[in-house]
Every structure is written in structure tokens, then in C-alpha cells.
Amino acid sequence: MRQDTRMSAENAQIESGVGTVTAPPATAAGVSIRGLAHAYGELETLAGVDLEIEAGGVVGLVGPSGCGKSTILELLCGLREPLAGELAVADATTPLERLARCAYMPQRDALLPWYSALDNAALALRNRRVPRREARQRAADLFGRFGLGGFEASRPTELSGGMRQRVAFLRTLLAEKPVLALDEPFAALDAITRAEMQSWLTGALRDEPRTVVLVTHDVEEALYLCDRVAVLSARPARVVAELGAPLPRAADRDAAVTDPVFVAAREAALRALHEGMR
């Protein structure tokens, strides 16, 4: 069995701009996952996962806790070596090539406490050797659009949870990679802030389109933010259902999630999730 290897996911999100492989411009790229299998020692986590994502598509992964959702993101981003299977981001198949095309946003915001909000956001550019003045200016140009205007000099401890996540997402976006791998980005937020951030993210993706793979435990969140939702079984995970979202990223979130068509899709996703846990 191949020994598992891993780069620190949080460090990779910050440091992935440094390396010998140069990423292409940040236009969306398609993703292909075929026969993906993985294990941690004797613990089998993934068993033949297949998933195709068109360029510019937004796909959600939902499944039971511990089924390997985050592992799929780490494998896609080249942070781990799979036991078997094929992964490709556009024409990139090696781990370093995929890492150059994927920006990984971990569950924690991983903001540096001694940096200002502006310097944290600009860090992805600085790690690509963009001069500090230019990196700060490019980040500052987006602060207003991301609802962060006036907080450029604030330290992470002075920001709310939602604002910290906005800074973290802006840092991820400024890495200028065609694929965003988002690992439960709003899991630590309260219900009201989480709903607000979901609405905010729809606008951010409209203004800065990318291919997105989103991991979440929240079926409603997945159906609202994504074009399609892949439901995973219990470990070892496989895709047991793929559902189209009826009203992806609708302008009025509250109206969308209470629409009868949306409610029916949510019930179908929950049924698939429960069946996959048997």
C-alpha cells in the first residue's frame, strides 16, 4: 500500500504560489476525477470516486463525517498522493501541476495574527514574488467590493468571523488559480452569518468566476451555492447520487431555499445521504 504523504493544508493554501510550476492565468478549468481511491494505512477512505466538473462549474460534495470529503480536495490539489485513480485539472495531472492550478481554502481561516487584514489578503501575491506595494494595492482594490472597506489595517482579532472568512476567501482568490477548493468555509459561523456569507459568496463568484469544488455538511448550502451536488456514501466513500441544483446562486436566498422545487431537491439529497450511510 502506498504510504500517505501530505503537505500541511493550511500552509499549502498560503504557500502554493511558490514552486517550480507556474500556474496559467486564472480562467476556469475543468476537473476530472476517475476511479479515485485512498487509504490511511489500513483505513480505506475512498473507493472509486468518479466526478467530472466543467470549466466554470460549481460542484458541492456532501457526505457523512469522516467519509473523505476533505481528502478529495487535498488529493485534487496535489497535497496527497492517491492510492489509485486519475486526477486532472485541465491538462494538468501531476501533483505539482495540479497544485499550481488549485487554490485551497481550509476550514480555518489561517490568518496570520501579526498581519493586518490587507497584508493577510495580499499574502498569496507576495508568495508569488509580487512586490509588496503592488500586492497590497491589488488587494486593496478589492476590499470595498468584498465588504471589507475601512478594515484594511485591522488585525484578525479585531474582525468578526464573517469578515475573517471574507479576508481568507479574498486571499484564496488573489492566488489567481483557475480552481477553488473550499473546505467547509462557513462551518464555524453562526446560522445568520452563514446565510449572509452564502449570499455574499454568490456575488463574489459572479464577479470573479472560477471552477469551484465545495465541501460542506450542509445540504441546503450545497444546493444553494452549487450547480450540482455529489452525495458521498459512508467510508469508504463513493458517489451515490448527483443532483442538479434547481436555483443555483439565486439573488434572493431566502426565497430560493423556501421554494417548493428547492425543498424537494433538498429532501432528495437527504434521502440519498441517508441511503449512502447504510
Side-chain angles (χ1 to χ4, degrees), residues 2 16 36-37 43 50 60-61 89 97 113 116 143 145 187 195 200 203 211 220 222 229 243 272:
R2 184 177 301 176
S16 59
L36 186 63
L43 182 65
D50 295 301
L61 302 179
V89 178
E97 289 173 337
S116 68
F143 259 56
R145 187 194 306 176
W200 170 82
T211 303
E220 181 177 288
V229 176
L243 305 171

Side-chain angles (χ1 to χ4, degrees), residues 244-270:
L247 302 165
R249 298 179 296 286
D252 188 335
R253 179 193 177 279
D254 291 342
V257 300
T258 55
D259 187 284
V261 177
F262 188 98
V263 173
R266 182 175 59 205
E267 293 301 314
L270 289 172

